[in-house]
Amino acid sequence: YSPSGKTGRKLRQEANHIRHLGGYTREIFPLHNQVDKQAMEEVEVLWKARLRWRYNDSFLGTKPMENNRFRRYFAVETPGEPGSRPVMQSFLMCSPVSRRGWYLDLVRRPRAPRGATELAIFSAMDTFRAEGVEFVTMGLIPFYDPAGQHSPSKADLLMQLGTSYLDRLYHFSSMQMFRSKFSPTRV
């Protein structure tokens, strides 16, 4: 996947930044590789400790190993200290949403280098495109329409206050800022 245009240039710069640090991506198999599973668990613990608001047992909670026999995973790693294993910076969970598409969800180390998430997404998109998958999605974000515009701006004051409260709690606007880097090909 090679994004184009002004936004694409920024994405390519992000991915190239981690590549210059020796970063690379690969599909991982935590069901069959205990080292991959342990690295994923380490990244997940660090991520959830930093973003306590995101870790909860509601439907919004991210559970990377749940339904893992149906999922695929792509990790971005950088070289570790000499003589040690590579350091997993981020991983992408890919869940099938139909025969034609996959849902992508990210988990990253809190201080992962720039481009760790973008490179994982590019790798998954390239892999899925080569396999004939029709689409990938990062899902909808509450209070934003599918094109990424904030939707309740014309709502009454009570709705605006409720939206603002939920955004502070779950950081929907931050998620939208990240996802806006990836221009949808269709809505």
Side-chain angles (χ1 to χ4, degrees):
Y1 174 71
S2 182
S4 59
K6 187 183 242 183
T7 303
R9 187 181 83 214
K10 290 179 183 178
L11 286 169
R12 289 189 306 276
Q13 288 173 340
E14 296 291 319
N16 287 335
H17 179 265
I18 195 157
R19 286 185 185 119
H20 289 299
L21 297 175
Y24 60 92
T25 185
R26 66 184 178 90
E27 188 166 2
I28 58 173
F29 304 94
L31 281 176
H32 306 293
N33 185 321
Q34 193 61 29
V35 173
D36 286 345
K37 183 178 179 185
Q38 288 172 344
M40 282 177 64
E41 289 169 347
E42 176 186 335
V43 172
E44 179 187 4
V45 165
L46 292 170
W47 178 72
K48 286 180 176 177
R50 174 103 193 284
L51 302 172
R52 285 185 179 87
W53 59 267
R54 179 92 186 247
Y55 179 61
N56 55 54
D57 290 326
S58 78
F59 68 97
L60 294 171
T62 299
K63 298 173 182 145
M65 297 308 288
E66 187 175 70
N67 297 317
N68 57 9
R69 67 184 182 277
F70 302 112
R71 289 181 168 169
R72 293 175 70 177
Y73 302 89
F74 294 84
V76 172
E77 298 175 323
T78 54
E81 297 295 322
S84 67
R85 66 184 176 115
V87 177
M88 185 179 291
Q89 299 295 339
S90 67
F91 65 89
L92 183 68
M93 297 172 291
C94 307
S95 304
V97 291
S98 73
R99 291 181 186 163
R100 302 175 318 162
W102 290 79
Y103 170 74
L104 311 179
D105 197 9
L106 286 158
V107 177
R108 67 186 287 272
R109 194 175 283 276
R111 297 193 183 272
R114 270 188 11 243
T117 53
E118 292 84 354
L119 190 58
I121 292 170
F122 292 166
S123 179
M125 291 173 83
D126 284 340
T127 300
F128 290 140
R129 180 180 291 121
E131 293 172 357
V133 170
E134 291 182 35
F135 71 92
V136 296
T137 180
M138 287 188 261
L140 298 174
I141 299 175
F143 312 116
Y144 287 87
D145 68 20
Q149 301 300 314
H150 197 266
S151 58
S153 60
K154 297 174 186 162
D156 64 9
L157 181 60
L158 187 57
M159 180 66 169
Q160 288 178 2
L161 290 172
T163 301
S164 180
Y165 170 76
L166 290 171
D167 186 49
R168 282 192 310 277
L169 189 62
Y170 294 109
H171 301 265
F172 295 130
S173 57
S174 298
M175 291 166 47
Q176 178 58 32
M177 281 179 48
F178 173 77
R179 291 182 186 177
S180 69
K181 294 192 238 179
F182 298 89
S183 303
T185 55
R186 69 178 182 199
V187 176

